[in-house]
Amino acid sequence: VFVTERAAGAIAVVAVDERGNITSAGRRPSSGAGPFGFAVTSRNQLIVSEAGAGAVSSYNFAGGALSLVTSSLSTQQAAPCWLVLSNDERFAFVANAGSGSIGGYAVSPDGVLTSVSPDGRTGVTNGSGATPLDIQVTRDGKFLYALQTGTGTVGSFAIGAAGTLTTLPD
């Protein structure tokens, strides 16, 4: 189990045995400030949003420890919080609560992250002050939905083959 410790700037690894007992398996400093949302690939890679640093990072998990792959890649946006993977795990999407946008990042097979959009805005919400927080990809992998607390709406985006997002009506 992974636990991001935003205030401490760390990521904890917790071992769980077959009876559900937990023990600390270690802790490492986050690549950037404020580790927040994260997702784990089927290749044992941890992709993390860093709300305090305005960045995303990635780690490999092997031998009970995390090793850094991509160090604090700037989102060029504010307050990247919730993070999800596309169904095929080729892309990570992060809700930039402070910017009203969704950032997209290609995830290579070895866990290296690269931005899908030069300005960090892969998807832009409808209306100012949308404040996207929680995001989720549909089961079929074709759409991404964002809870937009600032406008009281759910934003919707079509996911393109290259990880692009097309804004749809809220």
Side-chain angles (χ1 to χ4, degrees):
V1 174
F2 301 105
V3 180
T4 54
E5 300 176 29
R6 193 174 99 206
I11 302 169
V13 179
V14 179
V16 181
D17 70 17
E18 60 277 347
R19 298 181 137 201
N21 298 311
I22 60 174
T23 57
S24 175
R27 184 175 185 240
R28 72 156 288 136
S30 173
S31 174
F36 196 83
F38 64 90
V40 182
T41 72
S42 59
R43 298 177 303 276
N44 292 324
Q45 299 154 337
L46 183 69
I47 315 298
V48 180
S49 67
E50 299 169 348
V56 292
S57 57
S58 63
Y59 304 82
N60 278 325
F61 180 69
L66 290 169
S67 59
L68 185 63
V69 175
T70 300
S71 176
S72 293
L73 175 63
S74 175
T75 63
Q76 301 182 55
Q77 301 295 306
C81 294
W82 199 258
L83 184 140
V84 296
L85 292 171
S86 61
N87 292 0
D88 60 8
E89 300 181 350
R90 292 179 45 232
F91 302 98
F93 298 102
V94 63
N96 298 306
S99 304
S101 66
I102 308 296
Y105 302 87
V107 181
S108 73
D110 58 355
V112 174
L113 302 176
T114 55
S115 184
V116 170
S117 306
D119 67 357
R121 297 181 315 152
T122 306
V124 179
T125 57
N126 291 317
S128 67
T131 314
L133 294 180
D134 295 341
I135 57 177
Q136 186 61 46
V137 172
T138 57
R139 286 186 185 173
D140 64 8
K142 295 180 181 179
F143 302 97
L144 180 141
Y145 293 105
L147 173 63
Q148 300 174 154
T149 60
T151 55
T153 60
V154 174
S156 57
F157 303 86
I159 301 172
T164 57
L165 295 175
T166 301
T167 305
L168 302 172
D170 290 355

